[in-house]
Structures are given as structure tokens and as C-alpha cells.
Amino acid sequence: MMAGVSGLFSEVDMLIRPRAGSPGFRDTERLADADSSQTGAEAAGGRVWIERIVQAPDTHRTIGIGRDPRNDICIFDPAISSYHMSLHFPRVAGEPAHISDLGSTNGIYLKGKRVREHSLVSGQAFVLGRHKLQYLERPAESGGGIEIILIISQLAKAPRESQRQAVALIVQDGSDAGNRIDIAAEGITPIETNNVPRAIIARRGSGYYVSHLWGNQFPRINDQEIGVNGQQLRDGDILQIADSHFKFLAS
């Protein structure tokens, strides 16, 4: 059972209170081999760490979360996109925060469902790739503003297959071979190679179509270059984007 919000703050305070915060201060505490009894974060034996941000009064800050080190919070996880999502802090304590998907490949999961945008209240958790982030907020002790805590825990696996989209690409080569890229049933899914979006996949009617987005090389399906208007993907097709290969699964 996940600890209550006040209980979680008490546990976090034991770890971060020795370091005084100031508006704009961010503190990261890494807890190697932590478990849920230490943080209430249901870490399933994985790595747990804490991100602490004190937002100055009368400000409305937004931070980026993703795999690229240039994000405000960087999480190295192949299932997390380079610039995966943004987190919009509330202006005053007690108001909801807001999470937004920035066109990520594998999405944000909240209460087991994939969401593109959603409000977030203190104590709620959401999942990116193989990491769970639990959001806590309260009034800052001094100088006004809001104290934000994110408890980030590494999960044993990504969201269950039953919670994922049925349509996906499976990476065929490189260090990410075997990884799954879920394809959104609505909107578009950008496909990156070397952290550059080079193609998009979108649903048209009952089918999924790949279109060229960036670069001198057009995508290829089963070794045949697609046209400027894109081409439909069928179950089992091998999609080549730049030097990367993917297998398309329609169900």
C-alpha cells in the first residue's frame, strides 16, 4: 500500500532537510538499492532517487523531462524519448499541476491508461518507460512559493502489454534491438534515429501510413523506397529509416 502524502513527505524530509533550499534550487538525492519501505514509492527493488525543486512565489514554472541531458530532469531509459514530456507547476500550492506529452514514442501512463495531457495532484504517480514518477507538492517553508518533490523509481518492466497500444514497431538492430515503440491510435507518432525525428506514422481510416519527415533518405518498406505521399504499413513489414530497421506489428 502506498504511503499517504503526509507520510511520504515525512520520509523525504529525513533525506533532504539537511540541505537548505532556496527559490530555484534543485537537489537530487540518489538512493541506491532503495525499496518501497524507504520511500513509499513502490520501487519493486529498483533504483530510486528524489528531485526537489523550490519554485519562487508568483511564478509559473515548466520543466522538461526526457532522456536528453539538456532536460531539467534527465532519465536514461531507452523507452523514454529524448524530450518526452513537460511538467507545468501550479502557481500556488493546492492547485493541480499539469503534464503534457511532447510527442513521445511510448507515451505517459496515468492509472494504467496512456494520456497526452492531464492534471496532476499531490500524491499522484505516472509512468514513463520503465520509470515511475510520484509528484508531491506543498507550500515552501520560507520565502513563500512551492516545494516540489518527484520520487523517481525504476520499475522491473514497462506498463503491461494489455495497457499498450496494439500497433507497434520492434527495433531490429543496434543496442536497442527488441525494444518496442508503440504507435498511437490517434494523432501522429514520430520515429527517431540518432535522436532525430526522421519519419512519422499516422492512422488513416483503418490503416497506418509512414511518411518521410527529415533527411535525404526516404524510408523504405521491405527494401522499397516510399513515395512523397507516404505508404501504408502492413503486419510484418520491415521498415527502414536511415540505417535503422523496424518490424511493424499490426496486432
Side-chain angles (χ1 to χ4, degrees):
M1 179 72 68
M2 186 172 63
V5 172
S6 60
L8 279 172
F9 262 121
S10 296
E11 294 164 355
V12 168
D13 283 344
M14 295 175 63
L15 297 166
I16 66 174
R17 192 56 60 201
R19 299 187 182 187
S22 59
F25 170 83
R26 189 179 85 183
D27 181 45
T28 301
E29 186 76 27
R30 297 187 181 276
L31 309 176
D33 301 320
D35 60 26
S36 58
S37 65
Q38 289 174 279
T39 63
E42 299 178 355
R47 185 167 58 97
V48 177
W49 73 95
I50 294 168
E51 294 275 359
R52 175 177 181 257
I53 301 173
V54 178
Q55 178 176 268
D58 300 320
T59 59
H60 199 183
R61 186 174 179 184
T62 298
I63 64 170
I65 303 174
R67 196 176 69 246
D68 192 286
R70 287 170 288 190
N71 286 281
D72 297 284
I73 296 178
C74 173
I75 305 175
F76 183 74
D77 179 341
I80 292 178
S81 295
S82 299
Y83 298 94
H84 198 106
M85 63 161 287
S86 60
L87 170 58
H88 312 273
F89 295 156
R91 189 176 296 276
V92 297
E95 291 183 354
H98 193 79
I99 54 177
S100 299
D101 191 320
L102 299 178
S104 70
T105 299
N106 291 318
I108 304 169
Y109 284 85
L110 182 69
K111 296 181 180 179
K113 295 183 179 180
R114 185 167 178 166
V115 298
R116 292 193 177 276
E117 295 194 9
H118 209 281
S119 59
L120 197 68
V121 298
S122 187
Q124 279 191 306
F126 55 93
V127 174
L128 307 180
R130 293 177 175 84
H131 287 79
K132 185 173 86 169
L133 293 80
Q134 186 162 15
Y135 172 84
L136 304 172
E137 54 100 342
R138 64 180 174 184
E141 286 189 349
S142 60
I146 307 173
E147 182 180 17
I148 306 293
I149 298 292
L150 285 175
I151 301 174
I152 305 174
S153 53
Q154 186 177 28
L155 303 174
K157 57 184 179 180
R160 295 193 303 272
E161 294 296 323
S162 61
Q163 296 173 343
R164 292 178 160 190
Q165 304 293 330
V167 178
L169 295 178
I170 305 300
V171 181
Q172 299 296 294
D173 39 29
S175 59
D176 292 337
N179 282 359
R180 175 188 176 107
I181 301 172
D182 290 326
I183 306 301
E186 298 179 1
I188 64 173
T189 302
I191 308 300
E192 298 181 356
T193 63
N194 297 321
N195 295 326
V196 177
R198 298 185 183 277
I200 58 172
I201 295 178
R203 184 174 181 175
R204 302 181 196 169
S206 60
Y208 288 82
Y209 289 74
V210 60
S211 301
H212 178 63
L213 181 64
W214 185 262
N216 295 326
Q217 293 178 289
F218 273 61
R220 303 175 72 89
I221 296 177
N222 302 326
D223 207 30
Q224 298 294 315
E225 188 174 279
I226 70 170
V228 294
N229 295 321
Q231 185 171 323
Q232 185 173 3
L233 287 159
R234 303 187 185 281
D235 189 42
D237 279 348
I238 299 298
L239 172 64
Q240 180 181 347
I241 300 176
D243 295 326
S244 299
H245 294 79
F246 309 86
K247 184 175 182 178
F248 179 71
L249 299 181
S251 59

PDB file of all heavy atoms in Angstrom, residues 54 67 148 167 169 226:
ATOM      1  N   VAL A  54      12.314  24.084  -5.572  1.00  0.00           N
ATOM      2  CA  VAL A  54      11.564  25.116  -4.857  1.00  0.00           C
ATOM      3  C   VAL A  54      11.249  26.227  -5.852  1.00  0.00           C
ATOM      4  O   VAL A  54      12.154  26.862  -6.388  1.00  0.00           O
ATOM      5  CB  VAL A  54      12.348  25.658  -3.648  1.00  0.00           C
ATOM      6  CG1 VAL A  54      11.542  26.761  -2.958  1.00  0.00           C
ATOM      7  CG2 VAL A  54      12.655  24.539  -2.663  1.00  0.00           C
ATOM      8  N   ARG A  67      15.156  11.803 -21.982  1.00  0.00           N
ATOM      9  CA  ARG A  67      16.434  11.089 -21.973  1.00  0.00           C
ATOM     10  C   ARG A  67      17.627  11.997 -22.260  1.00  0.00           C
ATOM     11  O   ARG A  67      18.751  11.701 -21.874  1.00  0.00           O
ATOM     12  CB  ARG A  67      16.366   9.957 -23.015  1.00  0.00           C
ATOM     13  CG  ARG A  67      17.451   8.898 -22.858  1.00  0.00           C
ATOM     14  CD  ARG A  67      17.272   7.767 -23.864  1.00  0.00           C
ATOM     15  NE  ARG A  67      17.533   8.191 -25.217  1.00  0.00           N
ATOM     16  CZ  ARG A  67      16.623   8.249 -26.192  1.00  0.00           C
ATOM     17  NH1 ARG A  67      15.370   7.905 -25.943  1.00  0.00           N
ATOM     18  NH2 ARG A  67      16.938   8.651 -27.410  1.00  0.00           N
ATOM     19  N   ILE A 148       8.407  21.364  -4.596  1.00  0.00           N
ATOM     20  CA  ILE A 148       8.014  20.237  -5.443  1.00  0.00           C
ATOM     21  C   ILE A 148       8.973  19.081  -5.206  1.00  0.00           C
ATOM     22  O   ILE A 148      10.192  19.256  -5.202  1.00  0.00           O
ATOM     23  CB  ILE A 148       8.064  20.627  -6.943  1.00  0.00           C
ATOM     24  CG1 ILE A 148       7.242  21.880  -7.217  1.00  0.00           C
ATOM     25  CG2 ILE A 148       7.622  19.455  -7.820  1.00  0.00           C
ATOM     26  CD1 ILE A 148       5.762  21.722  -7.030  1.00  0.00           C
ATOM     27  N   VAL A 167      -0.718  -1.647 -31.871  1.00  0.00           N
ATOM     28  CA  VAL A 167       0.150  -1.458 -33.036  1.00  0.00           C
ATOM     29  C   VAL A 167       1.511  -0.948 -32.560  1.00  0.00           C
ATOM     30  O   VAL A 167       1.587  -0.047 -31.722  1.00  0.00           O
ATOM     31  CB  VAL A 167      -0.480  -0.471 -34.028  1.00  0.00           C
ATOM     32  CG1 VAL A 167       0.428  -0.233 -35.217  1.00  0.00           C
ATOM     33  CG2 VAL A 167      -1.843  -0.998 -34.470  1.00  0.00           C
ATOM     34  N   LEU A 169       6.153  -0.852 -33.488  1.00  0.00           N
ATOM     35  CA  LEU A 169       7.375  -1.199 -34.207  1.00  0.00           C
ATOM     36  C   LEU A 169       8.315  -1.904 -33.242  1.00  0.00           C
ATOM     37  O   LEU A 169       8.428  -1.500 -32.085  1.00  0.00           O
ATOM     38  CB  LEU A 169       8.066   0.047 -34.761  1.00  0.00           C
ATOM     39  CG  LEU A 169       7.362   0.866 -35.838  1.00  0.00           C
ATOM     40  CD1 LEU A 169       8.212   2.085 -36.189  1.00  0.00           C
ATOM     41  CD2 LEU A 169       7.096   0.033 -37.082  1.00  0.00           C
ATOM     42  N   ILE A 226       9.580   4.536 -50.177  1.00  0.00           N
ATOM     43  CA  ILE A 226       8.205   5.036 -50.207  1.00  0.00           C
ATOM     44  C   ILE A 226       8.157   6.331 -51.022  1.00  0.00           C
ATOM     45  O   ILE A 226       9.175   6.970 -51.262  1.00  0.00           O
ATOM     46  CB  ILE A 226       7.644   5.279 -48.792  1.00  0.00           C
ATOM     47  CG1 ILE A 226       8.338   6.485 -48.130  1.00  0.00           C
ATOM     48  CG2 ILE A 226       7.786   4.033 -47.928  1.00  0.00           C
ATOM     49  CD1 ILE A 226       7.679   6.928 -46.841  1.00  0.00           C
TER      50      ILE A 226
END
